[in-house]
Amino acid sequence: MSSKAAASARALFLCTAVFSGMVLPLHAQTATDATKQLPTTRSELQLSFAPLVKQTAGAVVNVYAAHEVQTRSPFAGDPFFEQFFGSGQFNAPPRVQSSLGSGVITDPSGIIVTNNHVIRDADTVKVALSDGREFDSKVLLKDESTDLAILKIDAGEPLPSLGLGDSDKVEVGDLVLAIGNPFGVGQTVTSGIVSAQARTRVGISDFDFFIQTDAAINPGNSGGALIGMDGKLIGINTAIFSRSGGSVGIGFAIPANMVRAVVETAKGGADRFERPYIGATFQNVTPDVAEGLGMKQPYGALVTNITKGSPAEKGGLLVGDVVLTVDDVRIENPDGLGYRLTTAGIGKAVKLGVLSRATEKTVTVSLEKPRADSPDNQLMIGGKNPLSGALVLKLTPSSATRLQLPADTDGVAVDKVTRNSPAARIGLRPGDIIRGVNGVEIQTIAELSKAMSSDPSLWRFEFERGGAIIRQIIR
């Protein structure tokens, strides 16, 4: 689950799902985008979704993920018991945790999309097709920021697949189908409409830009397909808002255009999804800011910082500018801007409609690949200390952007945390900034390395996470 907190008192549930069926070529009776109309006769009200289900359900598969978890005895680490029995006597045998979800075949060669939270930390991932065959899968790419993962299986033959639709063309009120295995009861088809587009501030992942639907989505549906009436995939079902854990008609799906960007990255051979780098940070345009800038409505993304020599600076973007559109598509907030830049893709150039010094203008900004971090600016912490197992790096504008931090953030941040390591056990996360160790302020890798080389009986840490300082004392 994303580190962003769910709004108010409502609980946000990430779902796991099981799907099955067979996919066939689309037939002429499938609805097209050419006509959208309300039913007007009794016969039209008796129309069925059955043909659409038969055509699409087979592209959805079961995903089984499992990983071993080392359990510790309550006596582990106790000096008295370890003095007589040794530390090894208190480590219980590892136990296996498993999760069950869904995936969608998006390419006949066996490319499968699922949610990252379905296979997070998995040691093995198996895929079961609707005809009963099972395959070991290879994880091509996992991305926590989008909550997407790409798998690959080799079935030795072309597989049924779902084409990716254009989620930007989906309109509020469009009919949709969600197919899944809610609560493990078996394959279930639910219908509904698109309740909202471009839904942000949801708290599901770091890329907040979702299709909202009232089609019943329950625990058991993650990784499954949200299907439009043209038989194409318009979203990957991901989460729901609920107080009870059951559907209350507020479900969220990752748009197909975001899915397409991640799939293309995996097909290109990359094992990490990277958002484009432009070297600027943004904030929401509040009503007060809009009034001060002479705007009739508060929308867009306000530029708060520009990195020297960045694509944003080269393109002519200025601090205080408000980005209103990307390639003529209106931008409501920084999340919407990030989505548009990400789906445009690295290597592209986008035209930004900007309000600059009370004048509207257009600037062209190139979307660059984030610069690689220098090995000299990285450190894998080892040894017998609470941060052992953490890969840390000196922040640069590109690495800060990759870690979902403002581009101008300075300091030493956590890049990766090894599973079951001491750093993982104390709750360290990628993106955490190490601000202090035992009273010593940390700004560089050298300062952190020196601080971690000591052997105190008591460790005192200060971490920055989401703008807040977290202090920990560890013996």
Side-chain angles (χ1 to χ4, degrees):
M1 180 180 290
S2 168
S3 61
K4 294 186 178 179
S8 67
R10 297 172 294 182
L12 176 66
F13 291 85
L14 297 172
C15 321
T16 49
V18 183
F19 284 41
S20 62
M22 287 295 293
V23 69
L24 299 171
L26 294 177
H27 297 297
Q29 68 266 26
T30 302
T32 68
D33 290 333
T35 58
K36 294 181 181 179
Q37 57 186 5
L38 294 173
T40 57
T41 66
R42 184 179 183 87
S43 61
E44 288 177 349
L45 289 172
Q46 294 175 334
L47 294 175
S48 173
F49 290 120
L52 183 60
V53 174
K54 292 177 182 178
Q55 294 163 15
T56 57
V60 189
V61 298
N62 298 344
V63 178
Y64 304 91
H67 72 277
E68 289 188 353
V69 178
Q70 183 65 51
T71 55
R72 290 172 57 86
S73 164
F75 299 111
D78 189 303
F80 175 80
F81 286 95
E82 289 188 354
Q83 178 181 359
F84 293 98
F85 301 102
S87 60
Q89 299 292 326
F90 302 104
N91 289 326
R95 58 188 176 87
V96 176
Q97 287 186 342
S98 59
S99 62
L100 175 63
S102 285
V104 181
I105 304 174
T106 60
D107 189 281
S109 65
I111 299 293
I112 297 168
V113 180
T114 188
N115 281 136
N116 178 67
H117 72 261
V118 171
I119 67 165
R120 182 186 291 121
D121 298 329
D123 297 315
T124 59
V125 180
K126 290 183 178 292
V127 172
L129 304 183
S130 58
D131 59 11
R133 290 180 293 168
E134 291 190 2
F135 300 89
D136 290 325
S137 72
K138 178 181 180 181
V139 179
L140 299 182
L141 183 152
K142 292 193 298 182
D143 185 65
E144 187 172 2
S145 66
T146 59
D147 196 19
L148 289 173
I150 310 301
L151 311 177
K152 177 72 167 64
I153 62 173
D154 184 7
E157 62 181 5
L159 295 173
S161 62
L162 271 181
L164 295 175
D166 185 352
S167 52
D168 286 345
K169 293 183 179 179
V170 174
E171 297 180 310
V172 175
D174 282 354
L175 289 169
V176 292
L177 296 183
I179 310 173
N181 185 5
F183 302 106
V185 301
Q187 189 181 69
T188 302
V189 180
T190 57
S191 67
I193 64 170
V194 173
S195 305
Q197 263 281 46
R199 182 65 76 198
T200 61
R201 304 303 177 193
V202 172
I204 298 174
S205 73
D206 293 319
F207 281 99
D208 254 0
F209 201 90
F210 295 90
I211 297 173
Q212 182 180 327
T213 179
D214 68 347
I217 297 174
N218 287 290
N221 284 84
S222 272
L226 188 68
I227 300 168
M229 293 298 100
D230 60 356
K232 292 185 178 180
L233 182 74
I234 62 171
I236 294 291
N237 298 324
T238 298
I240 60 174
F241 266 141
S242 175
R243 291 187 176 94
S244 64
S247 174
V248 294
I250 304 177
F252 300 97
I254 301 170
N257 287 357
M258 178 64 79
V259 174
R260 181 181 289 104
V262 179
V263 169
E264 292 303 319
T265 298
K267 285 183 175 181
D271 61 358
R272 170 185 284 181
F273 179 70
E274 295 181 309
R275 67 169 80 186
Y277 169 70
I278 67 170
T281 56
F282 305 88
Q283 71 177 37
N284 284 311
V285 177
T286 64
D288 289 340
V289 170
E291 183 179 358
L293 294 174
M295 300 173 61
K296 294 181 179 180
Q297 298 176 355
Y299 74 99
L302 177 66
V303 180
T304 58
N305 184 74
I306 299 288
T307 302
K308 187 175 182 179
S310 66
E313 184 187 53
K314 295 175 183 177
L317 212 56
L318 303 173
V319 172
D321 287 355
V322 178
V323 179
L324 304 176
T325 63
V326 175
D327 290 335
D328 298 324
V329 178
R330 175 169 160 143
I331 299 300
E332 297 296 335
N333 50 45
D335 289 322
L337 174 60
Y339 172 82
R340 294 297 169 190
L341 297 180
T342 300
T343 53
I346 293 173
K348 302 293 179 61
V350 294
K351 292 182 179 180
L352 305 182
V354 176
L355 177 64
S356 181
R357 310 311 188 251
T359 302
E360 292 192 12
K361 65 178 184 180
T362 300
V363 300
T364 300
V365 175
S366 298
L367 306 182
E368 295 185 359
K369 181 180 177 66
R371 297 174 180 86
D373 299 310
S374 169
D376 295 335
N377 288 331
Q378 297 180 352
L379 173 67
M380 172 58 79
I381 301 176
K384 295 183 178 180
N385 66 73
L387 300 189
S388 180
L391 174 65
V392 298
L393 51 77
K394 173 64 176 177
L395 285 171
T396 63
S398 58
S399 61
T401 301
R402 176 169 56 80
L403 291 171
Q404 317 299 315
L405 300 170
D408 58 347
T409 306
D410 193 21
V412 176
V414 178
D415 187 26
K416 295 180 181 178
V417 179
T418 303
R419 182 158 52 91
N420 295 329
S421 66
R425 287 195 288 270
I426 70 170
L428 209 59
R429 305 176 187 172
D432 287 350
I433 305 171
I434 302 172
R435 292 303 189 191
V437 177
N438 292 332
V440 177
E441 184 180 354
I442 303 299
Q443 285 291 331
T444 66
I445 292 292
E447 292 171 347
L448 178 61
S449 180
K450 182 179 179 180
M452 299 309 299
S453 64
S454 60
D455 188 20
S457 59
L458 190 70
W459 291 92
R460 301 192 309 276
F461 296 102
E462 290 185 355
F463 307 113
E464 181 179 340
R465 179 184 298 166
I469 297 297
I470 302 172
R471 294 179 173 87
Q472 287 196 22
I473 299 177
I474 303 170
R475 294 186 180 277

